[in-house]
Amino acid sequence: MRKILCFVHIEKAAGTSLIHILRRQFPLRYLDVRPYRFSPYAGRWNPVFDKGDLEVALKINPFLRCISTHALCPQTNFLPIARMEYITLLRDPVDRYISQFYYSSERRGKQWDFERFLEVEENTNFQVRKIAGRDDLELAKKTIDEKFLAVGVVEKFDEFLSQLGACIEGKALDTAYRKANARSISTGEQELKDRFDSEIRARNQLDIELYQHCLERITASSGHREAGNSQESRSLGGTPGFGARLVDGADYLLRKCYYEPVTRMVRRRNGLEAEGAYAIPLNFGEDKL
């Protein structure tokens, strides 16, 4: 059965740098995917990427070996089309929560203060929901332990790359990367963290426990790799070499000249907004989201 490496990209968890590495690792066989059709999911809009969407992605790229998306839940069944090998990055829940607030305020144009943001249920325990599909800590832990090939945290990114390099078959993982979309903590962010720390933690307690679970898993995995003979990755970080930059350039042209135009056309033909990571129907008002 076809195996596909799937990066479950959690919003505001620094996944863009990893995506650059995956594109280089799987030239011509990587695709940023999203829902291409509309179907209600769990009584809500914004359905997750599912088996039907994977069939569309395989028509766009029959050689697909690696995908990345915000809109995928590991509880989704992709058999018999493919067997997914999941990877993900988590982030300190307090820092991620504040970063999500600033993103929604600055990039998405939400006009609200932090107190109102705290009241929005969809913002709480966001990482557990991405893994389990609902507020279920035990299911999220079980899914991480049983379905994920590699799990890391942003704060230990290089350790995650070493773990991933030991898991991926084929050529050694080229881990040269530049930090992407990184920003230093502003005075305002630190003030929010100091002022609302207890409220943030109360609203993200499941995320905090899942994050600690992953830290323990990472520690145990690191000890196991040191004791055994694992595949060695190239030096972590650094500037991509000339060959890597050629691959990056070819990938960029392929995305801009083929993947993105085709996926926009498919989504519009199926009644969806051309842009965006989720399946937003055309002319679907912001008040309904």
Side-chain angles (χ1 to χ4, degrees):
M1 182 181 298
R2 177 195 296 265
K3 293 192 295 185
I4 296 179
L5 187 69
C6 177
F7 173 38
V8 181
H9 189 181
I10 296 174
E11 286 85 337
K12 310 317 299 174
T16 304
S17 295
L18 177 60
I19 286 174
H20 288 312
I21 293 172
L22 294 175
R23 284 175 179 156
R24 195 176 303 131
Q25 185 73 15
F26 299 96
L28 306 181
R29 296 172 295 157
Y30 171 90
L31 190 61
D32 293 307
V33 299
R34 53 208 178 125
Y36 302 117
R37 308 135 41 252
F38 173 75
S39 58
Y41 178 77
R44 299 180 54 200
W45 306 102
N46 297 2
V48 297
F49 182 87
D50 62 15
K51 188 186 299 184
D53 296 310
L54 179 60
E55 290 176 334
V56 174
L58 288 170
K59 291 178 181 178
I60 295 171
N61 184 348
F63 308 103
L64 202 59
R65 177 64 182 83
C66 181
I67 64 174
S68 171
T69 180
H70 289 300
L72 187 145
C73 177
Q75 310 308 321
T76 305
N77 180 20
F78 291 96
L79 299 174
I81 299 174
R83 189 179 75 203
M84 292 295 188
E85 296 181 322
Y86 295 105
I87 62 174
T88 196
L89 279 168
L90 275 68
R91 184 179 176 186
D92 176 273
V94 175
D95 292 339
R96 198 214 65 83
Y97 189 79
I98 293 175
S99 181
Q100 183 180 356
F101 165 71
Y102 273 91
Y103 178 80
S104 63
S105 300
E106 297 172 0
R107 298 286 296 276
R108 299 186 64 188
K110 293 275 190 181
Q111 300 298 319
W112 54 10
D113 55 24
F114 195 69
E115 286 88 346
R116 183 181 174 192
F117 183 80
L118 286 166
E119 296 173 358
V120 178
E121 183 67 23
E122 285 77 8
N123 298 330
T124 63
N125 294 312
F126 191 83
Q127 297 177 97
V128 165
R129 293 172 190 240
K130 293 290 286 192
I131 302 301
R134 58 180 185 266
D135 282 334
D136 190 330
L137 175 62
E138 293 308 314
L139 177 59
K141 288 181 178 179
K142 181 179 179 181
T143 302
I144 288 288
D145 292 341
E146 296 181 358
K147 292 187 177 183
F148 276 73
L149 186 68
V151 177
V153 298
V154 173
E155 294 76 14
K156 294 181 179 291
F157 186 65
D158 285 354
E159 288 90 332
F160 170 72
L161 293 181
S162 294
Q163 177 190 5
L164 185 60
C167 295
I168 292 182
E169 299 175 0
K171 67 178 182 179
L173 182 66
D174 183 351
T175 57
Y177 69 90
R178 297 189 183 98
K179 291 184 178 180
N181 297 336
R183 51 179 291 185
S184 58
I185 297 177
S186 66
T187 301
E189 288 174 290
Q190 188 59 52
E191 288 176 352
L192 287 178
K193 193 172 183 179
D194 294 339
R195 180 181 174 188
F196 294 101
D197 183 73
S198 60
E199 291 90 341
I200 295 171
R201 291 181 179 278
R203 285 164 174 77
N204 294 277
Q205 187 57 45
L206 299 184
D207 269 11
I208 291 171
E209 293 185 43
L210 180 64
Y211 181 80
Q212 291 299 323
H213 176 77
C214 290
L215 283 177
E216 293 170 3
R217 172 185 163 122
I218 291 167
T219 300
S221 178
S222 297
H224 177 73
R225 287 198 307 276
E226 290 173 1
N229 295 317
S230 64
Q231 174 187 354
E232 293 295 330
S233 299
R234 302 181 193 178
S235 58
L236 301 178
T239 302
F242 178 73
R245 292 197 298 272
L246 284 179
V247 173
D248 291 345
D251 174 82
Y252 178 82
L253 290 175
L254 190 62
R255 280 186 287 126
K256 296 301 179 182
C257 298
Y258 174 59
Y259 290 153
E260 292 181 9
V262 168
T263 56
R264 284 196 293 264
M265 179 187 68
V266 170
R267 282 168 62 96
R268 282 197 173 276
R269 287 184 61 182
N270 289 328
L272 302 179
E273 294 284 356
E275 305 297 338
Y278 295 93
I280 307 296
L282 287 168
N283 303 318
F284 198 66
E286 175 71 17
D287 59 319
K288 299 178 182 179
L289 294 177

